[in-house]
Amino acid sequence: PRPPRRPEAWTEALSLRAGVADFSPRANVLAHAPEGFDPRGPLHLVVLLHGYSHTPYFWLGGGMTDPRTGQRIIGWGGRERHDLAGTNTLIVAPQCDDRPGHRRMGNLSRPEGLRAFFDELLGPGLGHRLGGARTLDEVATITLVGSSAGGPSIGALLSRPELASRVRTVVLFDGLYGDPGVFARWVLGAPARRLVHVYSGSAEAEARTTVLAELLAPRLGAALVRVSRETMGDAVRAHRAVLARVPCEHIGMVSAYLDKILEALDLPRRERPWDPKVPRETVRGEAPTLAEGVTEGRLERGDGVMRDGSLFDRYALSLAAGERAVVEVMGGRVPMLNCANLDAELRVLAGDVEVAANDDALPGRGSRVTLTATRATRYEVRVTAHGPWAREGPYTLTVRREARADVGR
């Protein structure tokens, strides 16, 4: 029998009566589900609050037509980054109200406003997508994500009783404005709560982060980590509070790190039907041989193409029996990217079998694999860019070899 067809990804732009406000002809909330999303059972939501003067169309509406202008919207990749995390979550982005004289969270600021919003969204709004009308009571967890001015908007919602048992994680992208104590008190209020604060190197951001760290440290101890260019996923998995300074432009952080953070959280997973990092076509010809030391390369048009559209280069690496090699790749500077450097991954094959893969084992979004040959082996090392985009840019490959006489004994 044929396997059941996987549900396709979908995005809805809705105008809810219980939304923040009426922004006609634009919708006041966008919602998106990835391919393979399973709505059965309790729901897990990612709610993204945008920065000042932005719209949810920027984050979730790429490819849609702007009802105000009739122009096709060029998105910022929030939808794709959410899907890349592989979580079985629904991402929701309400339109905040940045008009002069208006409350930013509008109707959601009212005592019953949040419940009314979620009940309408999950019932009349998306019930046809979710197998029937749902309510806030059927939401198991909410991950709140705030970009820039979305941070203090989250801070204003954290004390709401209808969210108290549901919000498990708050993620701030350069969004620590106002009183850092709001977030410190929240994360310390229950053992299951987690905070991820990603920020740029501005003096103001550094000062507010220092205050937050001082408030958290006495209670959290080793469960708090303040990192600079550390591997994001590992930090999030191992700590309740992560304060991470990254070399990113203010608005580019979400696009660079959202999927890596969501993937590291304790969220339900969905099955992926195929590996995106497999070449679309067989690449002919001999791969260049990797020597010990440093090799400079570049992803560019004309390289091999993976199933997801990303570019890749390939190299040959031969190891003798008992020999071990560490292979590292670090992306170089790409001026057009918001986070300055190419986000590079490694895949390694022995024949047709993938024997190693890594993304982000190194600080600064670099990758590392360690290979140990039990017999003489010729490996194919592939360098590709993270995500489903044809990113171009330079990278540095480093190979360190060492003998291991005990292998195979």
Side-chain angles (χ1 to χ4, degrees):
R2 284 186 173 184
R5 185 176 179 182
R6 286 173 57 82
E8 295 181 354
W10 53 263
T11 305
E12 294 266 6
L14 304 169
S15 292
L16 304 182
R17 293 183 62 185
V20 170
D22 181 5
F23 299 101
S24 299
R26 282 182 173 173
N28 59 16
V29 61
L30 268 67
H32 170 78
E35 180 186 7
F37 173 70
D38 186 353
R40 295 172 296 182
L43 297 172
H44 298 264
L45 306 183
V46 176
V47 179
L48 191 155
L49 298 183
H50 62 77
Y52 181 77
S53 78
H54 299 158
T55 84
Y57 286 96
F58 291 165
W59 293 114
L60 304 185
M64 289 183 168
T65 299
D66 189 328
R68 283 187 182 175
T69 65
Q71 300 296 312
R72 184 175 180 273
I73 296 168
I74 299 176
W76 292 352
R79 182 175 62 196
E80 291 78 9
R81 290 290 182 177
H82 168 267
D83 294 5
L84 193 59
T87 56
N88 192 55
T89 51
L90 180 70
I91 185 167
V92 175
Q95 174 69 60
C96 300
D97 196 344
D98 292 320
R99 296 173 296 184
H102 290 251
R103 293 181 300 176
R104 192 164 202 265
M105 298 310 295
N107 291 329
L108 274 62
S109 302
R110 297 174 178 173
E112 296 299 322
L114 276 172
R115 177 169 290 278
F117 169 76
F118 282 112
D119 285 352
E120 184 181 359
L121 173 68
L122 302 174
L126 297 176
H128 65 291
R129 296 283 196 181
L130 303 177
R134 311 292 289 274
T135 69
L136 179 62
D137 292 332
E138 297 172 79
V139 174
T141 68
I142 296 175
T143 301
L144 291 177
V145 179
S147 170
S148 190
S153 298
I154 288 175
L157 299 177
L158 287 177
S159 62
R160 301 288 289 274
E162 59 268 53
L163 296 184
S165 63
R166 295 181 175 88
V167 177
R168 300 288 179 81
T169 304
V170 169
V171 183
L172 303 177
F173 289 102
D174 242 0
L176 187 61
Y177 297 99
D179 178 13
V182 170
F183 297 99
R185 288 188 293 274
W186 174 80
V187 76
L188 294 174
R193 293 176 180 173
R194 306 177 73 179
L195 174 67
V196 182
H197 165 47
V198 183
Y199 66 101
S200 62
S202 72
E204 290 184 8
E206 198 69 60
R208 289 190 293 265
T209 303
T210 297
V211 172
L212 179 60
E214 291 172 349
L215 292 171
L216 293 175
R219 291 272 302 277
L220 292 186
L224 164 69
V225 62
R226 185 170 183 178
V227 296
S228 176
R229 295 172 63 91
E230 181 166 337
T231 302
M232 187 66 70
D234 289 344
V236 172
R237 289 183 190 95
H239 302 88
R240 280 185 58 195
V242 176
L243 315 180
R245 177 178 172 177
V246 297
C248 283
E249 186 270 336
H250 176 71
I251 207 61
M253 296 177 185
V254 179
S255 297
Y257 286 103
L258 178 62
D259 63 298
K260 299 171 187 290
I261 293 171
L262 293 180
E263 185 176 24
L265 295 174
D266 186 20
L267 292 169
R269 310 291 299 174
R270 67 181 196 281
E271 293 184 6
R272 294 183 179 181
W274 46 272
D275 184 350
K277 297 301 185 183
V278 172
R280 288 179 179 174
E281 299 177 352
T282 301
V283 180
R284 306 296 179 184
E286 288 291 319
T289 299
L290 272 181
E292 185 167 17
V294 174
T295 299
E296 302 291 344
R298 184 178 183 85
L299 295 177
E300 56 192 355
R301 291 184 182 181
D303 288 342
V305 181
M306 297 293 193
R307 283 176 176 172
D308 65 358
S310 57
L311 305 173
F312 76 95
D313 286 339
R314 62 194 186 105
Y315 297 88
L317 175 64
S318 295
L319 297 183
E323 191 175 20
R324 186 169 74 173
V326 177
V327 183
E328 298 178 346
V329 65
M330 180 63 69
R333 184 170 180 79
V334 182
M336 293 300 292
L337 291 183
N338 285 329
C339 282
N341 66 309
L342 183 72
D343 191 353
E345 293 186 17
L346 286 171
R347 296 284 181 114
V348 182
L349 288 81
D352 294 329
V353 179
E354 183 175 283
V355 295
N358 182 254
D359 174 40
D360 282 2
L362 297 176
R365 301 191 298 171
S367 300
R368 175 200 289 135
V369 295
T370 300
L371 304 171
T372 302
T374 56
R375 61 177 181 272
T377 305
R378 181 178 174 86
Y379 298 97
E380 180 170 296
V381 177
R382 293 173 178 170
V383 178
T384 187
H386 179 70
W389 302 280
R391 300 289 197 207
E392 300 183 30
Y395 60 83
T396 301
L397 262 175
T398 304
V399 177
R400 299 192 304 275
R401 296 171 180 259
E402 58 183 68
R404 284 191 56 186
D406 59 333
V407 170
R409 290 185 179 179

